[in-house]
Amino acid sequence: MSSIRNHITEFLNNNEDHPIIYAIAVGLYPILFYYSNNYTLVNSLSHLAYFVLTFIGIPFLVFFVVTKLKFIKHKNRVLTFLSVFVFLFLLKVCLFGDVQKKISLGILFISFLAGYFLFNHLKKLVVIQFIFAFIGFFALSNTIIKQYSISKEWMQQPDNIAEVEFVKKPNVYYIQPDGYVNFSELKKGYYNIKDNTFEKFLKSNDFTYYNDFRSNYTFTLSSNTSSLMMKHHYYNNVLNYKEVLNDRDIIISKNTVLDIFKNNGYKSYYITEMSYLLLNKPKMGFDYCNISYDDISFIGRGLGDIKDVLTPLKKGIEEEVDRPKFFFVQILAPNHISGSQIHSLGVVEEKLAWTKRLERSNDVLTKTISTIKERDPNALILIMADHGGYVGMGYTLESYKKTDDRDKIYSIFSSSLAIHWPYGKVPNYHDKLKSSVNVFRILFTYLSDDESYLSNLQPDFSLAIVNEDALPGVYKYINENGEVTFEKVTN
């Protein structure tokens, strides 16, 4: 400790400029701050390289040039201005991710004042910046330790299904409309939507529809992680996080479902309207993806424009026709209501907005299914939503508050499931399709003609994290029989 104090004293008392120290000081805390609050979005080497280069490397070049330019008369004023401006501006970028003109002008004004009045205290400002970084380091360390102390035991299968061998190899299309509630719920409760045009379309195209089907988890990441691993994760038994450890890596890089298709010779495609599952640029486990990582920003949460899914889908169907294929097609509609209270339009307006998005979802789904049926009439087509639309609530984060309202609970978990079974041959055990965690295990049972895999189906209950109006924990909201309950399963 005394050694650190001596180095600080020496730094404060000498008259030399230290552009590398100035650069580290302005960039280190913003990096640590962003990582602490968005770790699951930036836990890759490419993100680390980007942040070091952008937040420290570029400021170093600027500070270095300023210290070498002899014509600058008030160098300390300029360096102080830059130190405060870059530090605050990078923090603003970490908080908002975009320009924010008014805030930027405020930062500019504060920096001018600092350069004018505090130029004799530049190195003291640098020390303060390092103190912030020191605090940020402990916050990030705590986040990382918690993340990597979480057990991965839940990912292990109870049998040898990971080695399953298919005796039937149709092309398999997994189409996921985000937030599409089941028709059985769509007609009642807070939805009360009577239009059944899309339901009739599915029936006319020989789909089997599964009423009262539901998701096991509340949001896309937690739901997809469970369904693609064919296991319950119980949110890793950690309530600090609303996401499962390495969820995007599990969904995109490596999971039991994807491995099984690969082991059976399938070529795999991930085709999506938006980059939501790709934000942390996970290693691509699919053979093809329609979005390039070069088009995904390293910082910020914007998902960009909606991408066309039909063109890459058609191309995928038509190539390598002798090889079986697995398509994961993600349609980000009708989605759910606004996430936070501050962005909510209110219960009534949120329902209207969701209903409008439902129209677009039905249009895209109709075109997608028609494209597949036209080119691949004997395909296995699975339409399974990740969760419900939350209609009837003010905002999705309201789900963390305890409720005993049956219609709100089903608005969260109710989700669509429709399957086009090849040649219309529906297996006699398809009545076991009740929740998303078991869907692929049942499909693999069908493709392998081995019903022994049905012996290890997961419980068909639906779980949510509740931390308001109840003792914080993971609660069972819907039991195996589809009945509303409120039972704490872990804390």
Side-chain angles (χ1 to χ4, degrees):
M1 200 69 182
S2 60
S3 176
I4 295 175
R5 193 160 41 241
N6 290 337
H7 283 298
I8 293 174
T9 302
E10 182 181 350
F11 171 72
L12 292 172
N13 290 335
N14 70 54
N15 294 320
E16 297 179 12
D17 287 318
H18 302 274
I20 186 62
I21 294 178
Y22 301 159
I24 294 173
V26 298
L28 187 56
Y29 176 66
I31 292 175
L32 295 171
F33 174 83
Y34 194 80
Y35 266 72
S36 296
N37 290 280
N38 303 279
Y39 184 73
T40 59
L41 295 177
V42 293
N43 56 346
S44 71
L45 289 176
S46 60
H47 278 88
L48 180 60
Y50 168 82
F51 277 98
V52 171
L53 175 63
T54 307
F55 282 41
I56 294 178
I58 294 176
F60 165 69
L61 291 178
V62 174
F63 283 119
F64 180 78
V65 169
V66 170
T67 58
K68 296 301 180 182
L69 292 176
K70 296 183 179 179
F71 65 82
I72 297 179
K73 295 181 179 180
H74 303 288
K75 192 173 295 184
N76 254 29
R77 292 186 189 273
V78 175
L79 290 173
T80 303
F81 164 79
L82 288 172
S83 179
V84 174
F85 177 79
V86 175
F87 181 76
L88 294 178
F89 185 81
L90 291 178
L91 275 179
K92 180 201 70 66
V93 170
C94 291
L95 284 168
F96 301 106
D98 52 17
V99 176
Q100 295 286 327
K101 292 182 180 179
K102 290 183 179 179
I103 297 177
S104 296
L105 288 174
I107 291 173
L108 193 63
F109 179 71
I110 292 171
S111 303
F112 272 120
L113 291 179
Y116 189 81
F117 291 107
L118 302 177
F119 64 93
N120 284 326
H121 305 284
L122 168 62
K123 293 187 176 180
K124 292 178 182 178
L125 291 173
V126 170
V127 171
I128 292 172
Q129 289 166 349
F130 273 113
I131 292 172
F132 274 104
F134 184 74
I135 297 170
F137 173 78
F138 279 100
L140 178 59
S141 298
N142 186 49
T143 298
I144 294 175
I145 290 170
K146 285 183 178 179
Q147 286 276 337
Y148 289 96
S149 63
I150 294 173
S151 172
K152 296 181 180 180
E153 186 177 349
W154 74 271
M155 301 169 72
Q156 298 175 7
Q157 296 297 329
D159 55 18
N160 67 340
I161 196 168
E163 287 77 47
V164 61
E165 294 183 7
F166 297 168
V167 297
K168 296 188 284 282
K169 292 189 178 182
N171 290 334
V172 178
Y173 299 82
Y174 170 26
I175 304 171
Q176 183 180 87
D178 187 276
Y180 203 125
V181 74
N182 196 287
F183 291 148
S184 59
E185 197 65 28
L186 195 65
K187 299 168 186 175
K188 60 186 180 183
Y190 290 105
Y191 293 88
N192 198 29
I193 296 173
K194 305 301 183 183
D195 182 10
N196 63 350
T197 304
F198 184 61
E199 184 178 8
K200 288 180 178 179
F201 170 80
L202 290 177
K203 289 179 180 178
S204 68
N205 280 275
D206 302 318
F207 277 79
T208 302
Y209 198 85
Y210 296 85
N211 287 319
D212 303 314
F213 182 83
R214 61 190 182 278
S215 168
N216 303 98
Y217 293 91
T218 53
F219 295 115
T220 302
L221 293 172
S222 54
S223 178
N224 279 349
T225 304
S226 173
S227 61
L228 292 173
M229 289 304 300
M230 303 185 294
K231 291 288 296 293
H232 278 294
H233 50 66
Y234 300 97
Y235 296 98
N236 294 136
N237 297 333
V238 179
L239 305 184
N240 305 66
Y241 307 103
K242 306 304 183 285
E243 302 176 1
V244 180
L245 175 64
N246 295 327
D247 41 26
R248 286 180 172 83
D249 299 84
I250 291 172
I251 296 167
I252 297 299
S253 304
K254 183 177 176 59
N255 57 69
T256 306
V257 168
L258 185 57
D259 286 347
I260 287 173
F261 277 115
K262 287 184 174 183
N263 292 342
N264 281 275
Y266 278 67
K267 184 173 182 178
S268 55
Y269 297 76
Y270 174 54
I271 300 174
T272 180
E273 288 189 326
M274 290 185 178
S275 57
Y276 178 65
L277 296 181
L278 307 172
L279 290 178
N280 69 326
K281 304 192 179 190
K283 180 180 178 182
M284 180 52 62
F286 290 80
D287 296 310
Y288 170 84
C289 178
N290 66 313
I291 294 180
S292 169
Y293 282 176
D294 293 338
D295 297 327
I296 301 175
S297 173
F298 280 97
I299 195 168
R301 302 191 181 197
L303 299 178
D305 297 329
I306 294 176
K307 308 294 184 183
D308 168 42
V309 295
L310 290 179
T311 300
L313 177 62
K314 292 174 184 176
K315 182 180 178 182
I317 295 173
E318 292 167 359
E319 66 184 14
E320 297 186 58
V321 293
D322 295 328
R323 184 179 178 185
K325 299 161 190 172
F326 169 56
F327 293 84
F328 179 10
V329 182
Q330 192 179 34
I331 297 169
L332 275 296
N335 209 297
H336 51 63
I337 63 173
S338 295
S340 61
Q341 187 172 13
I342 193 172
H343 294 113
S344 175
L345 302 173
V347 174
V348 175
E349 290 298 323
E350 288 292 345
K351 175 183 176 178
L352 292 174
W354 187 90
T355 305
K356 187 68 176 178
R357 293 193 298 271
L358 179 64
E359 296 175 10
R360 188 185 83 81
S361 178
N362 286 341
D363 180 59
V364 176
L365 285 169
T366 299
K367 291 176 180 176
T368 302
I369 293 166
S370 298
T371 296
I372 297 170
K373 289 295 295 290
E374 178 185 339
R375 291 165 171 77
D376 196 358
N378 296 312
L380 195 163
I381 307 174
L382 164 67
I383 302 173
M384 180 171 68
D386 47 357
H387 51 71
Y390 288 73
V391 167
M393 305 177 79
Y395 51 98
T396 63
L397 294 183
E398 193 179 322
S399 62
Y400 294 116
K401 183 187 299 184
K402 178 187 175 182
T403 180
D404 56 6
D405 186 328
R406 181 264 174 212
D407 289 345
K408 284 186 177 180
I409 293 168
Y410 264 83
S411 184
I412 296 170
F413 292 106
S414 175
S415 57
S416 287
L417 177 67
I419 301 177
H420 177 270
W421 299 98
Y423 305 99
K425 296 181 179 180
V426 181
N428 57 16
Y429 44 80
H430 76 129
D431 59 341
K432 297 182 182 296
L433 289 162
K434 297 178 181 179
S435 72
S436 54
V437 69
N438 287 317
V439 168
F440 279 103
R441 177 172 279 271
I442 293 170
L443 290 188
F444 293 151
T445 298
Y446 164 80
L447 294 173
S448 66
D449 279 344
D450 187 348
E451 295 187 27
S452 66
Y453 294 120
L454 299 176
S455 300
N456 286 295
L457 294 174
Q458 292 280 288
D460 287 306
F461 46 57
S462 298
L463 305 167
I465 293 176
V466 176
N467 54 26
E468 190 174 342
D469 295 338
L471 190 66
V474 176
Y475 285 83
K476 185 191 301 182
Y477 255 138
I478 302 176
N479 66 21
E480 294 88 331
N481 299 317
E483 301 164 337
V484 169
T485 184
F486 191 72
E487 301 175 35
K488 197 166 187 285
V489 296
T490 182
N491 56 7

